[in-house]
Amino acid sequence: MRNGEVSYWWQARGVPPRRPSLPGGAEADVCIVGAGFTGLWTAYYLKRADPGLRIIVLEETFAGFGASGRNGGWVTAGLPGSRSRYARSTSGQPRGRDGVRELERQLRETVDEVARVCVAEGIDAGLVKGGTLSVATSAAQDARLRQHLEHERAWGDGPRIVRHLNKDELAERIKVTGATGALFYPDCARVQPADLVAGLAEVVTGAGVLLYEGTRVTAISPGRAGTPAGDVRAPYVLRCTEGFTADLPGQHRTLLPMNSSMIVTGPLSDEAWKTIGWDGCETLGDEAHAYIYAQRTADGRIALGGRGIPYRFGSGLDHDGAVAASTVAQLGRILRRMFPVTAEAGLDHAWCGVLGVPRDWCATVMMDPRTGLGWAGGYTGHGVAAANLAGRTLADLVRGVPSPLTTLPWVGHRSPRWEPEPARWAGVRGLYALYRAADRLESADRSPRTSLLARAGDRISGIPH
Ligand SMILES: Cc1cc2nc3c(=O)[nH]c(=O)nc-3n(C[C@H](O)[C@H](O)[C@H](O)COP(=O)(O)OP(=O)(O)OC[C@H]3O[C@@H](n4cnc5c(N)ncnc54)[C@H](O)[C@@H]3O)c2cc1C
């Protein structure tokens, strides 16, 4: 089994040769730091709106090296953060419930926008819009499913947004051992993320965006992105560094680099697929506190992810995606419990990556017209579609064009900063220890009540549900 090497997705398509580094000081109209989905979608929409713009993207490693080339491949309309918190936000655009509904509507349309661009630009990323299933495998999880359904209804969202499936209806789609039911959300597509980010990088460079790889930005200030090779001077400098943000001066407590780990099976036999079903290519998650996410890949495997070791002291990052053996074993156990037939295929690869988590778990799109500094991120693991919407929004904000996107409630939202170490490390590690213990208790118990341990964890962390 391979471990690390960025991700299975990159190894499956082949890591591309590096593009050239920034050769020296340069000037541009817009400088974008980070070539993941946020940076590349921003460049894409800016260039389409104004082909004459001189855009430079600076990338420390290679385009798609970060979470964008390592994720679970859910192009999901899921809201990155809490509805009630966005509705109450006074620092962003204070638009209350209607604003949050509009943000959610825009996210749903974004799933189709990503699919539309793939077709229009000839990006073959195995995208299939099959919706997403969140399954319950204990009485407590089942009770939470029903609470989530109530919550959706309370927000005025109808059956178009989410539907409850009983055990048999779920089994018609996917046979998950021990599952008692599921919620089905139609607005989600499965994708091979490295194919998407690599295709996007090709499209933007083909349109004339200068993308320099192997170029680390060491400082960002109004009108300037500093690198060891020289400065890029531009009236607009956009920080699109998500889970890596803590490494930049002054940003140590802005976004917590949360780790997420994945495994992928070998190709499953036709017999195994007959046992499992999964013909609709829905993405699949569960209602556990330390939840999992999975997809049936375009090449006939199951890729499954979960938390693993959640956080490294001092916002430490690992750069090649290597996963601890204990995490591989833990994810492997969950996979075999849900799909015993996968034991025959074994595991081919494990990897991990970091996503950016703000202290209040709500994402931000920000542009200060006085300084020309902007940023977007803090998607808390829901960034594949959200980065497209954020990129379109940043493009409108840079061009100073008021649009329905520039008044969404996440625009200008300010999250509090994270606690200093060691409180941050102790808090996050303790939180996930609580969640794992709660999951164990709930699966051993028939009670529909959510474990007190998990409730305590939710209260401490502020994680939205
Ligand atoms: C394992 C995993 C599974 C996930 N699964 C899903 C999922 O299924 N669905 C979903 O919606 N979201 C998922 N996410 C989250 C999602 O992948 C991210 O939210 C999204 O990719 C963020 O894109 P980004 O461009 O903002 O950040 P990134 O893709 O992390 O890109 C940031 C880029 O900035 C570069 N960079 C950083 N610092 C510097 C610097 N100083 N100078 C120059 N360049 C720099 C990095 O090298 C990197 O390429 C997952 C994340 C992980 C890690």
Side-chain angles (χ1 to χ4, degrees), residues 5-24:
E5 302 176 46
V6 191
S7 68
Y8 167 72
W9 310 118
W10 273 116
Q11 294 304 328
R13 67 166 282 119
V15 177
R18 280 297 157 88
R19 296 181 172 87
S21 307
L22 181 73

Side-chain angles (χ1 to χ4, degrees), residues 9 32-41 57-78 188-189 191 193 197 212 214-220 226-227 239-249 255 258-262 283 293-295 305-307 317 319 351-356 376-387:
W9 310 118
I32 295 171
V33 182
F37 286 134
T38 305
L40 293 172
W41 282 122
V57 180
L58 301 174
E59 165 55 47
E60 178 170 4
T61 312
F62 62 86
F65 169 79
S68 299
R70 307 188 194 195
N71 61 71
W74 290 34
V75 187
T76 172
C188 187
V191 78
V197 73
Y212 294 112
T215 303
R216 176 176 165 74
V217 171
T218 50
I220 295 176
T227 83
R239 168 163 54 78
C240 303
T241 49
E242 188 64 345
F244 302 86
T245 302
D247 270 1
L248 284 164
L255 294 176
M258 183 74 83
N259 198 52
S260 196
S261 303
M262 294 200 71
T283 57
Y293 49 92
Q295 67 153 281
R307 188 58 68 220
L317 304 169
H319 284 284
W351 69 98
C352 65
V354 284
L355 43 106
Y379 313 114
T380 62
H382 286 75
V384 175

Side-chain angles (χ1 to χ4, degrees), residues 265-266 268 272 276 302 332 335-337 339-347:
T265 64
L268 298 187
I276 296 170
I302 296 177
L335 176 72
R336 284 189 301 278
R337 193 169 66 225
F339 303 110
V341 72
T342 56
E344 68 174 36
L347 299 181

Side-chain angles (χ1 to χ4, degrees), residues 221-232:
S221 55
R224 169 183 168 268
T227 83
D231 292 350
V232 173

Side-chain angles (χ1 to χ4, degrees), residues 287-432:
E287 292 285 325
H289 301 291
Y291 58 83
I292 59 95
Y293 49 92
Q295 67 153 281
R296 175 179 179 163
T297 67
D299 58 357
R301 303 157 185 263
I302 296 177
L304 179 141
R307 188 58 68 220
I309 292 170
Y311 174 70
R312 294 182 181 82
F313 188 83
S315 291
L317 304 169
D318 88 298
H319 284 284
D320 66 354
V323 184
S326 57
T327 301
V328 178
Q330 182 197 350
L331 294 177
R333 275 195 300 275
I334 295 172
L335 176 72
R336 284 189 301 278
R337 193 169 66 225
M338 295 175 92
F339 303 110
V341 72
T342 56
E344 68 174 36
L347 299 181
D348 267 8
H349 201 138
W351 69 98
C352 65
V354 284
L355 43 106
V357 179
R359 184 63 182 88
D360 64 355
W361 299 75
C362 288
T364 293
V365 182
M366 180 81 82
M367 176 74 228
D368 181 347
R370 288 165 309 160
T371 60
L373 293 179
W375 74 279
Y379 313 114
T380 62
H382 286 75
V384 175
N388 173 287
L389 182 59
R392 279 187 280 148
T393 309
L394 271 180
D396 286 350
L397 290 167
V398 165
R399 293 171 55 245
V401 181
S403 76
L405 306 190
T406 58
T407 55
L408 291 173
W410 65 355
V411 175
H413 175 77
R414 282 179 201 279
S415 303
R417 284 156 71 74
W418 281 93
E419 291 79 359
E421 297 291 18
R424 195 173 357 161
W425 179 83
V428 179
R429 295 289 276 247
L431 175 71
Y432 278 94

